[in-house]
Amino acid sequence: MSSSTTINNFRLYKATAKLKKPIADATHTLHEISFIVLRLQLENGIIGESYLLSFQYSPQAIRGAFKDLLPEIKGYEVHETGKVLKKLDSLSEYFGNEGINQWVKAAINVAMWDAWGKYLNQPVGKLLGTYQDKCSIYGSGGWISYSIDELVQEVSDYAGRGFKAVKIKVGSPNWKTDLERLKAVRSAVGNDINIMMDANQGMTLPAAIQLARAARELEIFWFEEPLHHQDFEGYKTLKQQTGISLAMGEREYSTLPLVELLKRNALDIWQPDLLRIGSVEAWRESAALANSFHIPVLPHYYKDYDVPLVCSIPNGVGVESFDWIDPLIDNPMLVKDGFAYPHEGPGWGFSFIDEFLTEIK
């Protein structure tokens, strides 16, 4: 028997942000900034929405995974997030619970939380409990494909908007090029703004050690993903030989890599990606594990979800900011003086504007 909060329909859409030209980090070139938007409808007409960052990758595969799994959630009550997670895990086990099916599971979960919050007329953050009312936010970008002038312009813009920290890409063929770019950023933003560097797994261990040592005078706040994310011994060596703070987590589909890094004292900042790790529940479980080792959480990319999540945990420190979806949604997040504030509306507090959505059949 269905009730007013039973899931009874769903639709998929694509949205695309404007990109003047391709951008690149150490391992990828991005030709488009695109998103898949999921809308779940309840029997009472409430719509729960979620989105995932898709770029140009495997468009047919991710759509196929949605089409396989979405029919399986019809008839569940919207608050039954745990039951749905167990069902989708069971259906995905044969081909693996990591990868594309995990993204779909997470999108469904995030949309269910949105609908549940709307039904209760409460923001998701308030449903989870509150440790803080705002959190710090850093400006991200600094693509390797940028010229020095473009790089300096971007970080200067962030500083002018009140951001207290910026992150740039490293992992150039010659680490000395990265060092010169870091020096230019430090010169542009001054000494009162933190600078982080992100190699997107694009460096060798010797190059990472050399860059970390050479950049010591620039007071780099953290070094993110310099090596392959499963090179746990490499991270241990890098930490021992340079002492630089290491940030990891965006590539992980479970807490097992977190455990391996913690055992080696090779992690200083945990960066879970909500869509990769699979659900609000899994995100919070990973944050709790990090907290038991006094590791702060600064998650990857999804600021409009991550700000309320970070504000709901004791070790939530900050979030990452890209502006890509801001022109596409009805209620961009308030960012002021280096802090981000959770949306105040029910659910996640924002929705994509219909005119920017193209339905995926």
Side-chain angles (χ1 to χ4, degrees):
M1 180 181 296
S2 66
S3 74
S4 66
T5 58
T6 299
I7 299 169
N8 75 348
N9 202 5
F10 48 81
R11 288 185 176 178
L12 277 180
Y13 304 86
K14 180 178 178 178
T16 305
K18 291 183 179 179
L19 185 63
K20 293 180 180 179
K21 62 180 181 179
I23 52 178
D25 59 30
T27 53
H28 300 88
T29 298
L30 305 175
H31 300 288
E32 70 175 31
I33 307 298
S34 58
F35 316 95
I36 292 180
V37 179
L38 169 65
R39 287 179 173 173
L40 299 181
Q41 183 173 316
L42 308 187
E43 193 74 33
N44 58 21
I46 287 175
I47 302 292
E49 187 179 280
S50 65
Y51 84 96
L52 61 83
L53 179 61
S54 59
F55 299 121
Q56 71 267 18
Y57 298 118
S58 301
Q60 299 309 313
I62 188 66
R63 293 176 186 186
F66 271 109
K67 290 180 179 180
D68 283 343
L69 296 182
L70 279 172
E72 304 293 337
I73 67 171
K74 278 190 175 182
Y76 279 94
E77 295 293 310
V78 72
H79 68 276
E80 294 180 324
T81 55
K83 289 183 179 180
V84 169
L85 290 173
K86 287 180 66 176
K87 174 68 175 292
L88 298 181
D89 274 341
S90 176
L91 291 171
S92 302
E93 187 275 333
Y94 184 80
F95 287 111
N97 288 322
E98 296 186 354
I100 275 181
N101 281 0
Q102 180 99 317
W103 288 77
V104 173
K105 180 179 75 172
I108 290 169
N109 176 265
V110 171
M112 290 177 70
W113 275 100
D114 187 49
W116 183 231
K118 288 173 178 174
Y119 176 74
L120 298 175
N121 198 32
Q122 292 292 328
V124 171
K126 287 188 177 180
L127 299 180
L128 299 174
T130 303
Y131 277 87
Q132 54 187 321
D133 297 320
K134 62 182 180 180
C135 65
S136 64
I137 188 166
Y138 68 87
S140 196
W143 302 90
I144 282 181
S145 53
Y146 284 174
S147 68
I148 290 289
D149 287 343
E150 290 171 323
L151 175 63
V152 167
Q153 182 65 57
E154 182 176 81
V155 298
S156 298
D157 286 347
Y158 276 130
R161 292 164 56 191
F163 284 74
K164 307 302 182 185
V166 295
K167 186 174 77 180
I168 77 163
K169 303 297 186 182
V170 295
S172 302
N174 187 333
W175 64 267
K176 293 181 181 178
T177 301
D178 295 322
L179 183 62
E180 292 307 308
R181 289 162 55 84
L182 290 164
K183 288 179 178 178
V185 170
R186 176 57 78 200
S187 178
V189 302
N191 295 322
D192 295 329
I193 291 181
N194 286 325
I195 299 173
M196 295 82 78
M197 56 186 186
D198 180 3
N200 297 97
Q201 306 181 88
M203 299 187 76
T204 64
L205 179 57
I209 290 173
Q210 288 176 303
L211 178 58
R213 287 173 174 168
R216 188 170 294 153
E217 65 184 46
L218 301 175
E219 298 182 349
I220 300 300
F221 197 43
W222 77 63
F223 198 172
E224 182 174 332
E225 275 196 333
L227 314 174
H228 188 278
H229 69 111
Q230 293 179 341
D231 185 4
F232 306 126
E233 287 298 315
Y235 281 98
K236 177 182 177 180
T237 300
L238 179 60
K239 178 71 174 180
Q240 288 177 338
Q241 294 199 16
T242 69
I244 197 167
S245 292
L246 297 176
M248 287 281 293
E250 71 173 76
R251 286 288 188 273
E252 309 309 342
Y253 291 87
S254 73
T255 57
L256 290 178
L258 173 59
V259 172
E260 293 298 325
L261 291 164
L262 290 170
K263 287 194 301 186
R264 292 166 173 82
N265 191 30
L267 182 74
D268 299 280
I269 295 141
W270 176 238
Q271 299 176 304
D273 179 298
L274 177 59
L275 274 293
R276 276 198 182 96
I277 207 159
S279 64
V280 168
E281 290 83 345
W283 188 104
R284 284 167 56 83
E285 288 169 8
S286 80
L289 176 57
N291 189 50
S292 68
F293 287 83
H294 310 289
I295 298 294
V297 171
L298 290 100
H300 173 246
Y301 180 71
Y302 294 93
K303 72 173 188 277
D304 294 271
Y305 302 138
D306 288 334
V307 170
L309 290 175
V310 162
C311 288
S312 76
I313 59 174
N315 55 330
V317 174
V319 297
E320 180 175 23
S321 180
F322 288 93
D323 300 332
W324 291 335
I325 73 163
D326 289 2
L328 309 179
I329 62 176
D330 59 3
N331 184 28
M333 178 164 280
L334 174 61
V335 176
K336 184 178 179 181
D337 297 329
F339 290 95
Y341 296 79
H343 295 292
E344 295 181 352
W348 295 110
F350 72 97
S351 295
F352 278 77
I353 299 169
D354 288 349
E355 68 179 275
F356 297 118
L357 298 177
T358 301
E359 187 166 3
I360 299 171
K361 298 294 187 178

